[in-house]
């Protein structure tokens, strides 16, 4: 079934990229003096890849149509953000924090809606999506308002935001994306 193959590819792509986001977040938390230029390139590549996977997820049409419902627009936005990060690696850290803060805040708020819709569908893990989305929204706000000055603190908050976004995406895709199993002629 072609739809199941696309959905499976999008789901596994989400999982792999979410794990990579978590890993990058952990690196930034552990090594706050990480190279900004290298971060822009790695982050840009991850954002472009995530954008492509989000568009694939949107086009795949999962059973509940919850997790990927906003992913066409967000996929395009992620590709644009990724390209900006790579092409403007010399840009100030402040601009990067604002762009990522807006994206993370918006994505978190949309995941709150997905959690509420998941509850209406009877998905038991809806509360996990909601909880992680609220935490990640707070981190997105920290990126936007930056109540800290040191570049090490900025890198740690960026790390927290990548880690949180990775966990949020993992929680959402593992909880709200259902792939129909192929039925055999005898129902087995």
């Amino acid at each position: 079934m072609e739809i199941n193959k696309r959905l499976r590819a999008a789901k596994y792509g989400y999982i792999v990229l979410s794990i990579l986001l978590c890993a990058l977040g952990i690196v930034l938390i552990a090594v706050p003096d990480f190279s900004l230029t290298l971060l822009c390139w790695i982050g840009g590549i991850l954002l472009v890849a995530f954008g492509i996977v989000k568009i694939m997820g949107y086009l795949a049409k999962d059973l509940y149509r919850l997790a990927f419902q906003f992913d066409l627009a967000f996929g395009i936005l992620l590709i644009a953000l990724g390209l900006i990060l790579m092409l403007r690696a010399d840009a100030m850290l402040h601009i990067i924090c604002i762009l990522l803060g807006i994206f993370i805040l918006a994505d978190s708020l949309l995941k709150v809606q997905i959690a509420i819709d998941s509850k209406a569908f009877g998905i038991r893990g809806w509360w996990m999506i909601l909880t992680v989305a609220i935490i990640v929204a707070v981190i997105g706000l920290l990126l936007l308002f930056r109540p800290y000055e040191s570049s090490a603190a900025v890198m740690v908050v960026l790390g927290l935001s990548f880690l949180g976004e990775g966990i949020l995406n993992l929680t959402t895709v593992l909880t709200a994306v259902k792939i129909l199993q192929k039925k055999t002629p005898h129902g087995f």
Side-chain angles (χ1 to χ4, degrees):
M1 200 178 239
E2 182 65 30
I3 292 174
N4 270 353
K5 284 182 183 177
R6 288 190 308 211
L7 182 57
R8 191 169 275 111
K11 183 174 182 174
Y12 293 132
Y14 243 76
I15 291 168
V16 168
L17 289 168
S18 295
I19 291 168
L20 290 173
L21 270 178
C22 289
L24 180 58
I26 291 167
V27 167
L28 292 178
I29 293 167
V31 186
D33 59 341
F34 196 82
S35 165
L36 181 59
T37 303
L38 185 58
L39 171 63
C40 288
W41 275 96
I42 293 170
I45 290 168
L46 280 173
L47 290 175
V48 168
F50 230 127
I52 292 167
V53 169
K54 281 184 172 284
I55 291 170
M56 285 173 47
Y58 176 80
L59 296 174
K61 305 294 183 202
D62 68 296
L63 178 63
Y64 296 127
R65 297 189 183 181
L66 290 172
F68 301 129
Q69 65 182 319
F70 306 110
D71 281 2
L72 178 61
F74 264 93
I76 294 167
L77 178 62
L78 278 176
I79 291 169
L81 283 174
L83 291 173
I84 290 169
L85 278 177
M86 288 185 292
L87 297 174
R88 294 294 309 196
D90 60 337
M92 296 176 7
L93 188 57
H94 179 71
I95 294 169
I96 294 166
C97 288
I98 290 173
L99 290 175
L100 289 176
I102 290 169
F103 169 76
I104 288 169
L105 182 60
D107 190 46
S108 298
L109 294 175
L110 291 173
K111 294 290 192 321
V112 167
Q113 182 176 339
I114 289 170
I116 292 167
D117 292 344
S118 295
K119 182 180 180 187
F121 272 95
I123 296 173
R124 287 179 284 177
W126 69 270
W127 61 271
M128 289 187 293
I129 299 170
L130 180 65
T131 304
V132 177
I134 291 170
I135 293 168
V136 173
V138 170
I139 296 169
L141 286 172
L142 283 174
L143 274 176
L144 281 173
F145 294 114
R146 288 188 36 207
Y148 39 82
E149 291 300 320
S150 79
S151 60
V154 171
M155 291 303 237
V156 169
V157 173
L158 275 172
L160 286 170
S161 67
F162 286 140
L163 180 61
E165 188 69 20
I167 292 169
L168 178 58
N169 284 315
L170 275 172
T171 303
T172 303
V173 79
L174 292 174
T175 304
V177 176
K178 301 298 177 203
I179 299 173
L180 290 175
Q181 299 299 318
K182 202 179 210 183
K183 292 183 180 179
T184 62
H186 301 292
F188 296 103

